[in-house]
Amino acid sequence: LLLEPEVLHVLAPPFVSRLPAESEAVKSHGKRRRSFLRKKREHPPSVAATPSQGLVLVFLSTQNAFWNGLQVTKEQKDEQFHFLVFTDVFGNKTHGVVMQCYRPILVGTQYYTKHQYFCVISKYPYFTALKDCLSCLLIQLRTCRLSDMEGKVKEFAAKLALVPIPPPGQLHLMFTLRPLTIVLPSREDKDHPAIDLDLHLPFFCFRPQQLLQVLSCLLQEQRVVLFSADWARLTLVAESLLLFLQPLSWQQPYVPVLARGMLDFLMAPTAFLMGCHVNHFEEVAAETDDLILINIDNGSVSTSCSETIDLPEIPPASADCFIQRCQSLKIHFDLYQCHHASCTDISEQRAQRRAWQQNLNHDIQRITLELIVNIFRDVSSHLNYEHRVFNSEEFLKTREPDEQLFYKKVLETHIFHFFLKDRLNRKMDNFARLELSTRSEIGFLGTTEAKLSRYRQSSWKRLNFSLFVSPSCLGLILPSPSLHFISLCLLALRTTPKPVRVFQLPDFPVSLSFHSIQSYYSELIQQLGKAIFSVQNEKPTLLARFYYLRGFINTLCLRRLDALGDFQNLYKTDTAIFPTQLVTWLVDSLHRDERQQADRRPELKRLILKVREISIIIGSPDDHVKKFVLPRENLHQEEFVRCVQECRIVKDVATIHRLFDALTYGQPKQVDPDLFRDFYTFWKETEAEAQDVNLPSGVIDHLDNSECVYKLSSCVKTSHGVGKIAMTQKRLFLLTEGRPGFLEITKFRDIQEVKIASAPFLLVRIPSLRIQTSSRSEVFEANLKTETELWNLVVKEMWAGRKMADQHKDPQYMTQALTNVMLMDAVMACLHTQRPVIAASMLAYFDKIKHEVPMMVPKTTSETLKHKINPSLDLAEPQTVHVLLYTPGQLTSNNSEGEMNPKLWVALSGGKVVVFDAASWSMLQDCIQVGESQLNCMLGLIQEQVWIGSQDSVIYIIDTHSMSCNKQLTEHRHEVTGLTQSYKSDQQTYSCSCDGTILQWDSASLKVKRQFYLNCDRLSSIQIHYGTLWCCKCTHLPLLATLKQLFFLVFVCLFQRGQLWTGCAESGELCLWHTNNHRHPSKRISLPGSSGVTCMIRVKDQIWVGCRGRSGVGGQCDGQLKSQVLVMDPESHTVAKELQAHSDSIQTLCSAEDRYVLSGSARHDGKIAIWKVE
């Protein structure tokens, strides 16, 4: 018997009415019952939390059988559960769990079974938890009268509405709903959904190869239909499949369960993911075209037209790794449990099953994340972040031929487009973290030499040989596929899920009156307070979750100031979960008396000001994605710079300006689009030629593992025989004709002279190139004919670059020289003028500097200088190095499994922090953003933290494991200028701000213990020595003898000698004081060639001083040394060493365990010099 269904009850929060006073207090926030569209328009989809938020948003008690109508039968059936996902027009999802139960009814003289449905709807995908809740309701419904059913259901819904949602992180919530104890798992972070289902279900239904087929269809945005005889499987499998794609997010229509009357949805022309009963399989297959039909019950994947699918498959290397990893999954709980004792308590058994499932879900998510990382790892190598450009054509060229069709289809999808937005926004999600952490495991961030060696020894054509950045970052060159993916798999096996904490909610009140609910919340707040006290000395991230939860409950109880206080504490514990929109709502809803109370509490006043600043600044983010296309109009210099950076040829602006001058030599100052297209084509051909140079094994044996051939001449006659001249980054050699052989011409550092000559040939003279070297007496000569002039430029530029790189201990000079050579080659090929070599010569930058500026580095500097590194490597222009901090390996290995290498932390302009491995000086992290203002000071703490003081008055705290800034100290009101730590107690840390405020911190709890204030013009720095805090006040000190004023900026204490050294910011002088006489300096020391002291540190028994050069600051970096690092002898009070390595003022100095000193300079130089300490 089939009847028309009807809805009996719709129950929605609030289930308990407020008292009149409270109702009036929230009246301004609108009615509780509004139309769906109106509510969505008023509250955008991005709102993460509202004060009325709870586990259950709507509860339905219905007799609607949804897809099968209302049935009345004589057959007695067991209860069933189904799962639903509703998606509104804005893309917001709502999740439902349906319980189908049966109640006997008397019709005449016979009993029939009537279907009855109960549906719990929530904004969150708690499928397992809500199923458990409905199972508890079922026990009550079996024994209650029909007249009591509505009351039971309403009481049940009201209790669930009291359950808060756990904040993102490792804090789960537990509550008791007799007879079960139910756990709500938290989201991993705010960008991911909660995982409350069995992710291994698809592995029961499909073999790994078939699962890869399904994922490939979804990645290509096909029209996919799932079929099953069990309605519950449809949603659970569909949800699991979409979770496997993370961080890619499905953007197309999604209806995991289609009712019988909705099958015409499958005619939609767009991509979709839908599900329906297997009874409709034949009908759907016959009536539709181009559908991917997936039968969950028998594990088959087919199309409407064929039993097989003809779609590109996931790349084999990625698929092989996935299949290999799937074999390690332990997806059978009974096998896991067979050696354990039988559980005699249902709660214990459920806890064991839950722990096993969480570990298994973690392993499955890790495997699928590895799959996505392996597929899309190289995408970041073809992104231009400044202009938000993805060069899809160049990306496709790096793919294997049999993979290109797959990538072509994926690159055109919406799902990939949104993935690109996240990459261009530098989103640090699980994909980015895994991709970054596995680079070093598989050699992705090796040195130039290691990369080029893999290129030379491997025929795998994936070399991204782009000089967009220096050869230390020439592009990520993949090793062999087997090594690459085996390394990934081995790495993943070592990961373990993070430990979680479960918080037990109070028992639900017996009465659901308003006062009982308020008492329940008060008890919950008290328990959260106890939990906060108990975890004060544990991980701050756990403490942050308790603060968040208590702030949320306080918000529900309209305790606005208490809620703001809890959310304020998130700055010290974990800013990643700070609910900006909820706090903004709280601030806007403050009453006048509450606002006055908030103004009397400095921390709340600061929070309110910060929230209002954020609300003004926040606008729609720039999330467009642009595909690279060649220009179609004439390019002036500014547009030319943009186009060259977009196509990843060169990033350095100064080099691009020289390239523009070369291409427009003798022409109007604009580049024709045809000329740019020719230049781009020749550049790419040059890259391809470099990749296709196949050297005989006998020749390879003569080269270092670092070398790769960048340029090859035509076959010419030379003084050493006939052959081709080959150029690597280190040398020139002759590839002899006939039987290929190796004959070294010279290394670039051995060249003494290069000039153009002419060699007789019959009755004419042919242009030739002569090279004189120190390694042999005879001159090498090659009859290069029309190539002579270009080779002359090339060899001279490489020679000059090598000479500067050796003298300055800076490999980037050789990098830039190689870039210039490649650009010369392309310019010569694309220009159709009479003398293109003149235009190409404009790119010979180092050869020009060699003739214009003395290149000799003083002997003392050369002997002391060990190395130079460039922290602005990935930026278009050099940035000022404001602060340097060296942290030993023990700083980050306090609680880690293995010892970590020491690190160098570099603060650049605009709040950027770059991190280097201080063992290899390779870049670990290219950009950690900490605010937008200039950074003034840094301090490393053993609690795996780096503190950074900023001009915006905030102390930012970086976690050294996650490399993320997730804490802030906001107690200062002005620019933070200094940080120091007590040697006697690691818990005592001091900070100062320019207004004279000094704060003493407990570095474990991040609480202020004491506060001082100094009356001064500016407090520039502080240091603690032997229990005494020394402060540098930037106050003008008049010296009557010289009628001058000294403005002290930095100081160093030598208590063993009773000395205090101060540096004068506005004059090149040091003042020496006795520690027992603070009134007048005992001696003034004039510093040669200095116009001011910028920084000072003590290293062993020496004083290292950073100075500003007398020639001033400004101009282009032309190789002229303008600033000095001076090493002072504290015994003789004289300059022991004058070191010159920077062409702009020195901004900061730091010591690396007293073995090295590192100096950083201002933006026109922007480099870091590493000095040996004697």
Side-chain angles (χ1 to χ4, degrees):
L1 180 62
L2 187 64
L3 302 177
E4 286 295 325
E6 70 173 306
V7 176
L8 294 183
H9 305 287
V10 178
L11 305 177
F15 298 101
V16 179
S17 300
R18 294 179 180 271
L19 295 178
E22 285 80 3
S23 300
E24 193 66 26
V26 297
K27 191 174 182 180
S28 60
H29 301 298
K31 298 179 180 179
R32 289 287 181 175
R33 292 293 184 86
R34 287 174 290 180
S35 72
F36 174 79
L37 283 177
R38 180 185 172 192
K39 183 167 68 173
K40 291 298 179 181
R41 286 170 185 152
E42 294 179 3
H43 297 282
S46 59
V47 174
T50 58
S52 60
Q53 185 182 45
L55 175 62
V56 177
L57 294 184
V58 180
F59 182 89
L60 299 174
S61 172
T62 76
Q63 288 185 343
N64 185 1
F66 297 101
W67 35 83
N68 290 328
L70 177 61
Q71 298 179 353
V72 178
T73 66
K74 295 182 179 181
E75 181 183 359
Q76 182 68 33
K77 296 182 179 180
D78 294 331
E79 292 77 9
Q80 297 181 12
F81 289 84
H82 314 307
F83 307 95
L84 305 174
V85 178
F86 309 100
T87 307
D88 64 24
V89 294
F90 299 99
N92 302 310
K93 292 182 180 179
T94 305
H95 307 81
V97 179
V98 181
M99 179 177 67
Q100 179 181 354
C101 57
Y102 305 89
R103 177 177 291 274
I105 59 173
L106 181 63
V107 179
T109 59
Q110 295 185 353
Y111 279 96
Y112 288 85
T113 300
K114 180 181 67 173
H115 294 205
Q116 199 166 36
Y117 293 78
F118 298 85
C119 177
V120 180
I121 298 178
S122 173
K123 290 173 61 177
Y124 301 91
Y126 286 115
F127 296 112
T128 302
L130 293 178
K131 176 183 175 182
D132 290 344
C133 293
L134 284 172
S135 300
C136 296
L137 175 64
L138 178 63
I139 296 176
Q140 301 182 42
L141 295 181
R142 284 174 175 171
T143 58
C144 76
R145 299 179 181 178
L146 184 61
S147 58
D148 297 333
M149 185 184 69
E150 181 180 352
K152 293 288 185 182
V153 170
K154 186 173 182 180
E155 179 185 352
F156 170 78
K159 288 180 178 179
L160 291 189
L162 298 178
V163 179
I165 299 300
Q170 304 304 310
L171 178 64
H172 298 180
L173 297 185
M174 178 188 295
F175 62 95
T176 301
L177 197 64
R178 306 297 179 191
L180 297 180
T181 299
I182 300 167
V183 173
L184 289 184
S186 61
R187 296 173 288 166
E188 183 176 356
D189 56 56
K190 61 182 180 181
D191 295 320
H192 288 79
I195 308 297
D196 190 34
L197 72 165
D198 299 343
L199 290 181
H200 63 285
L201 293 181
F203 292 88
F204 283 145
C205 303
F206 306 100
R207 298 193 306 273
Q209 294 84 349
Q210 294 171 315
L211 197 54
L212 286 169
Q213 281 186 319
V214 176
L215 295 178
S216 176
C217 294
L218 294 176
L219 287 173
Q220 297 173 63
E221 287 190 349
Q222 299 297 308
R223 301 161 68 212
V224 180
V225 186
L226 305 177
F227 293 90
S228 177
D230 187 341
W231 296 105
R233 291 180 197 169
L234 290 172
T235 300
L236 296 180
V237 170
E239 285 288 296
S240 298
L241 293 174
L242 295 188
L243 288 172
F244 293 167
L245 298 180
Q246 293 287 336
L248 284 82
S249 177
W250 182 256
Q251 302 294 323
Q252 302 294 344
Y254 172 53
V255 187
V257 176
L258 277 177
R260 183 181 56 192
M262 302 169 63
L263 292 181
D264 56 342
F265 281 23
L266 300 178
M267 299 291 185
T270 184
F272 55 72
L273 174 60
M274 300 188 186
C276 59
H277 200 278
V278 73
N279 291 342
H280 305 300
F281 187 93
E282 298 297 335
E283 177 185 356
V284 171
E287 297 294 333
T288 58
D289 296 325
D290 300 327
L291 292 186
I292 304 298
L293 309 179
I294 300 173
N295 191 326
I296 297 175
D297 297 340
N298 62 20
S300 65
V301 182
S302 60
T303 67
S304 304
C305 308
S306 171
E307 294 185 357
T308 60
I309 61 173
D310 185 21
L311 281 174
E313 297 181 349
I314 287 175
S318 303
D320 291 343
C321 180
F322 178 79
I323 294 172
Q324 176 187 345
R325 291 284 285 111
C326 288
Q327 295 172 357
S328 66
L329 287 176
K330 297 176 174 57
I331 60 176
H332 298 282
F333 178 70
D334 291 338
L335 288 177
Y336 164 81
Q337 190 69 16
C338 61
H339 65 282
H340 292 283
S342 299
C343 290
T344 58
D345 180 78
I346 186 173
S347 297
E348 179 184 354
Q349 184 180 29
R350 284 168 53 84
Q352 290 182 1
R353 178 65 165 77
R354 186 165 50 246
W356 173 84
Q357 188 65 58
Q358 288 175 355
N359 290 332
L360 179 58
N361 283 354
H362 173 269
D363 292 339
I364 293 174
Q365 286 180 279
R366 193 70 177 183
I367 291 174
T368 55
L369 178 62
E370 288 170 356
L371 174 67
I372 301 300
V373 169
N374 290 342
I375 294 173
F376 298 110
R377 178 185 297 277
D378 294 341
V379 166
S380 59
S381 301
H382 297 82
L383 294 176
N384 179 281
Y385 295 96
E386 290 76 16
H387 304 291
R388 302 188 62 84
V389 174
F390 174 60
N391 197 328
S392 57
E393 292 184 4
E394 294 304 318
F395 173 77
L396 288 174
K397 289 179 182 178
T398 64
R399 305 299 94 192
E400 294 288 340
D402 58 343
E403 301 173 1
Q404 290 194 2
L405 184 57
F406 169 81
Y407 282 104
K408 283 182 180 178
K409 289 182 174 291
V410 172
L411 263 56
E412 297 299 325
T413 60
H414 289 83
I415 191 174
F416 181 76
H417 180 78
F418 280 81
F419 172 76
L420 279 183
K421 288 184 178 180
D422 290 338
R423 297 316 104 199
L424 288 170
N425 292 334
R426 297 181 184 270
K427 184 177 182 180
M428 188 51 65
D429 53 12
N430 287 337
F431 178 94
R433 281 188 284 268
L434 181 60
E435 194 271 339
L436 183 63
S437 65
T438 54
R439 283 182 185 177
S440 57
E441 289 285 329
I442 57 179
F444 266 76
L445 285 183
T447 61
T448 307
E449 290 75 19
K451 291 192 179 87
L452 299 179
S453 171
R454 287 196 296 271
Y455 154 73
R456 180 173 57 84
Q457 295 173 354
S458 174
S459 61
W460 199 34
K461 304 300 183 181
R462 286 220 177 165
L463 173 62
N464 177 25
F465 182 73
S466 171
L467 292 176
F468 185 72
V469 293
S470 71
S472 62
C473 222
L474 279 178
L476 303 181
I477 304 171
L478 295 173
S480 63
S482 59
L483 174 64
H484 169 45
F485 293 106
I486 289 175
S487 298
L488 272 179
C489 292
L490 291 177
L491 178 71
L493 288 173
R494 298 198 294 266
T495 62
T496 55
K498 296 178 182 179
V500 299
R501 176 73 66 91
V502 179
F503 177 74
Q504 174 77 52
L505 298 176
D507 291 337
F508 293 119
V510 177
S511 169
L512 291 177
S513 64
F514 178 78
H515 290 292
S516 299
I517 299 300
Q518 291 298 308
S519 299
Y520 172 82
Y521 282 141
S522 297
E523 182 181 357
L524 177 54
I525 291 173
Q526 290 178 3
Q527 291 190 12
L528 288 170
K530 294 178 181 178
I532 289 172
F533 180 79
S534 65
V535 299
Q536 286 287 345
N537 297 324
E538 297 186 32
K539 287 190 175 182
T541 53
L542 179 61
L543 184 60
R545 272 66 196 171
F546 284 119
Y547 276 131
Y548 181 103
L549 197 54
R550 191 174 70 176
F552 182 76
I553 301 302
N554 278 322
T555 302
L556 289 176
C557 297
L558 297 180
R559 301 175 182 176
R560 300 179 182 87
L561 296 183
D562 292 339
L564 288 176
D566 287 328
F567 292 134
Q568 162 68 21
N569 285 321
L570 295 181
Y571 279 108
K572 295 182 181 179
T573 50
D574 191 353
T575 57
I577 62 172
F578 186 82
T580 302
Q581 293 173 322
L582 178 57
V583 174
T584 303
W585 180 91
L586 277 172
V587 170
D588 292 340
S589 64
L590 288 177
H591 296 163
R592 178 177 299 178
D593 58 332
E594 292 174 326
R595 181 57 191 270
Q596 292 174 351
Q597 295 178 47
D599 289 340
R600 290 193 291 268
R601 296 170 58 178
E603 72 279 3
L604 292 189
K605 184 177 180 180
R606 174 63 184 263
L607 175 64
I608 292 172
L609 291 175
K610 192 174 185 65
V611 167
R612 292 193 168 177
E613 289 175 2
I614 293 175
S615 62
I616 295 174
I617 296 173
I618 288 181
S620 45
D622 183 10
D623 60 354
H624 76 280
V625 179
K626 179 180 176 183
K627 288 188 177 180
F628 172 72
V629 292
L630 290 171
R632 299 178 182 178
E633 298 179 354
N634 291 338
L635 300 174
H636 296 281
Q637 189 178 69
E638 184 177 347
E639 290 84 4
F640 180 79
V641 170
R642 176 182 53 80
C643 284
V644 172
Q645 289 178 340
E646 284 183 1
C647 59
R648 297 182 60 85
I649 294 176
V650 184
K651 178 178 283 189
D652 179 63
V653 174
T655 303
I656 300 176
H657 286 169
R658 291 192 291 271
L659 177 60
F660 180 81
D661 293 337
L663 291 176
T664 58
Y665 176 73
Q667 304 292 331
K669 289 298 180 180
Q670 58 184 17
V671 176
D672 181 84
D674 294 333
L675 176 59
F676 188 91
R677 185 177 299 105
D678 292 343
F679 169 78
Y680 180 78
T681 302
F682 283 118
W683 174 267
K684 292 303 175 183
E685 289 178 354
T686 303
E687 288 184 349
E689 289 172 2
Q691 296 179 40
D692 293 336
V693 174
N694 295 317
L695 300 177
S697 58
V699 175
I700 292 177
D701 293 338
H702 288 85
L703 301 178
D704 295 340
N705 287 336
S706 65
E707 291 184 86
C708 174
V709 173
Y710 291 93
K711 184 171 176 58
L712 197 65
S713 73
S714 57
C715 188
V716 297
K717 180 182 177 181
T718 73
S719 56
H720 290 64
V722 178
K724 296 180 179 180
I725 299 176
M727 184 196 79
T728 71
Q729 73 272 32
K730 290 186 176 182
R731 75 186 86 204
L732 297 171
F733 69 89
L734 185 67
L735 191 61
T736 57
E737 191 69 8
R739 184 178 181 181
F742 173 89
L743 183 62
E744 182 174 299
I745 300 171
T746 183
K747 293 183 173 66
F748 290 116
R749 59 168 49 97
D750 295 333
I751 294 177
Q752 292 180 326
E753 184 183 19
V754 179
K755 65 179 181 179
I756 296 177
S758 59
F761 180 75
L762 297 178
L763 300 178
V764 297
R765 300 189 69 85
I766 299 174
S768 64
L769 184 68
R770 291 182 180 179
I771 303 175
Q772 178 71 50
T773 70
S774 60
S775 59
R776 61 181 68 189
S777 58
E778 67 272 18
V779 175
F780 173 80
E781 185 172 6
N783 300 342
L784 287 164
K785 303 177 184 177
T786 57
E787 299 180 63
T788 303
E789 292 181 319
L790 176 59
W791 273 94
N792 178 57
L793 289 176
V794 166
V795 175
K796 285 185 175 181
E797 182 69 5
M798 294 295 287
W799 174 26
R802 171 54 63 188
K803 192 172 182 180
M804 291 193 69
D806 291 344
Q807 290 183 348
H808 293 263
K809 311 291 180 64
D810 188 351
Q812 194 184 6
Y813 285 116
M814 200 62 201
T815 296
Q816 185 62 49
L818 188 57
T819 303
N820 296 339
V821 164
M822 303 292 287
L823 293 174
M824 290 180 201
D825 225 359
V827 168
M828 283 286 291
C830 70
L831 285 182
H832 306 289
T833 59
Q834 291 184 348
R835 295 282 292 166
V837 70
I838 299 178
S841 66
M842 303 176 75
L843 293 163
Y845 177 63
F846 293 114
D847 186 49
K848 180 181 178 182
I849 288 180
K850 183 179 70 173
H851 291 92
E852 294 180 354
V853 181
M855 296 179 59
M856 291 303 297
V857 175
K859 182 180 179 181
T860 304
T861 298
S862 181
E863 292 174 348
T864 310
L865 182 62
K866 182 180 184 293
H867 191 58
K868 291 182 78 173
I869 54 178
N870 181 15
S872 304
L873 195 64
D874 293 332
L875 303 175
E877 294 180 301
Q879 301 290 312
T880 297
V881 180
H882 290 285
V883 194
L884 292 173
L885 172 68
Y886 172 88
T887 56
Q890 292 76 11
L891 176 73
T892 56
S893 62
N894 188 31
N895 295 321
S896 58
E897 297 178 359
E899 185 173 350
M900 305 290 290
N901 285 337
K903 293 182 175 63
L904 176 66
W905 304 77
V906 185
L908 302 178
S909 302
K912 295 183 179 67
V913 176
V914 176
V915 185
F916 286 87
D917 184 332
S920 62
W921 302 117
S922 59
M923 188 178 291
L924 294 177
Q925 193 82 18
D926 58 357
C927 181
I928 303 175
Q929 193 68 41
V930 286
E932 302 291 339
S933 303
Q934 177 181 314
L935 306 177
N936 294 331
C937 48
M938 290 197 288
L939 178 68
L941 277 69
I942 64 169
Q943 285 86 6
E944 301 166 353
Q945 298 175 353
V946 169
W947 289 27
I948 304 177
S950 173
Q951 278 190 351
D952 62 7
S953 76
V954 177
I955 298 176
Y956 295 93
I957 300 179
I958 294 180
D959 184 282
T960 57
H961 280 303
S962 64
M963 292 292 184
S964 59
C965 179
N966 56 1
K967 300 184 185 72
Q968 298 177 18
L969 305 180
T970 59
E971 275 70 7
H972 281 289
R973 297 294 175 262
H974 296 83
E975 172 185 353
V976 180
T977 55
L979 293 166
T980 189
Q981 188 176 30
S982 170
Y983 291 102
K984 292 184 178 180
S985 173
D986 294 327
Q987 305 295 318
Q988 304 302 321
T989 304
Y990 296 84
S991 64
C992 69
S993 53
C994 64
D995 64 331
T997 300
I998 301 174
L999 301 180
Q1000 179 186 354
W1001 300 87
D1002 184 325
S1003 54
S1005 63
L1006 303 181
K1007 292 183 177 179
V1008 175
K1009 301 184 67 175
R1010 297 176 67 188
Q1011 181 171 340
F1012 314 91
Y1013 180 76
L1014 295 179
N1015 186 16
C1016 60
D1017 295 337
R1018 178 180 175 85
L1019 182 57
S1020 64
S1021 61
I1022 55 174
Q1023 297 179 23
I1024 189 166
H1025 296 282
Y1026 301 102
T1028 302
L1029 190 65
W1030 292 74
C1031 309
C1032 184
K1033 298 163 49 176
C1034 295
T1035 304
H1036 287 82
L1037 179 66
L1039 296 180
L1040 301 178
T1042 59
L1043 299 179
K1044 293 175 62 178
Q1045 286 187 331
L1046 300 182
F1047 187 74
F1048 298 133
L1049 184 63
V1050 290
F1051 71 100
V1052 169
C1053 296
L1054 293 178
F1055 286 99
Q1056 296 87 343
R1057 297 181 178 273
Q1059 296 176 353
L1060 175 67
W1061 294 67
T1062 59
C1064 304
E1066 298 176 352
S1067 64
E1069 290 182 331
L1070 295 178
C1071 288
L1072 179 60
W1073 310 70
H1074 288 299
T1075 54
N1076 56 2
N1077 180 11
H1078 304 160
R1079 297 186 62 85
H1080 300 287
S1082 63
K1083 188 173 184 179
R1084 292 169 53 206
I1085 304 171
S1086 179
L1087 303 179
S1090 171
S1091 63
V1093 176
T1094 56
C1095 48
M1096 292 172 60
I1097 62 170
R1098 174 190 174 182
V1099 183
K1100 293 184 177 178
D1101 198 28
Q1102 299 173 339
I1103 305 294
W1104 287 61
V1105 183
C1107 302
R1108 186 186 305 110
R1110 289 191 184 280
S1111 57
V1113 178
Q1116 295 297 319
C1117 177
D1118 55 6
Q1120 185 178 359
L1121 303 178
K1122 298 178 179 178
S1123 299
Q1124 301 180 96
V1125 175
L1126 303 179
V1127 182
M1128 307 298 298
D1129 183 354
E1131 184 174 353
S1132 63
H1133 308 160
T1134 59
V1135 178
K1137 288 184 180 180
E1138 295 183 28
L1139 307 176
Q1140 301 177 345
H1142 295 289
S1143 56
D1144 205 340
S1145 64
I1146 296 166
Q1147 298 293 302
T1148 179
L1149 293 169
C1150 86
S1151 171
E1153 301 179 355
D1154 285 350
R1155 293 189 302 152
Y1156 302 105
V1157 169
L1158 298 96
S1159 59
S1161 61
R1163 63 181 300 271
H1164 291 299
D1165 180 88
K1167 294 184 179 179
I1168 300 170
I1170 304 167
W1171 309 91
K1172 293 179 288 188
V1173 177
E1174 297 178 355

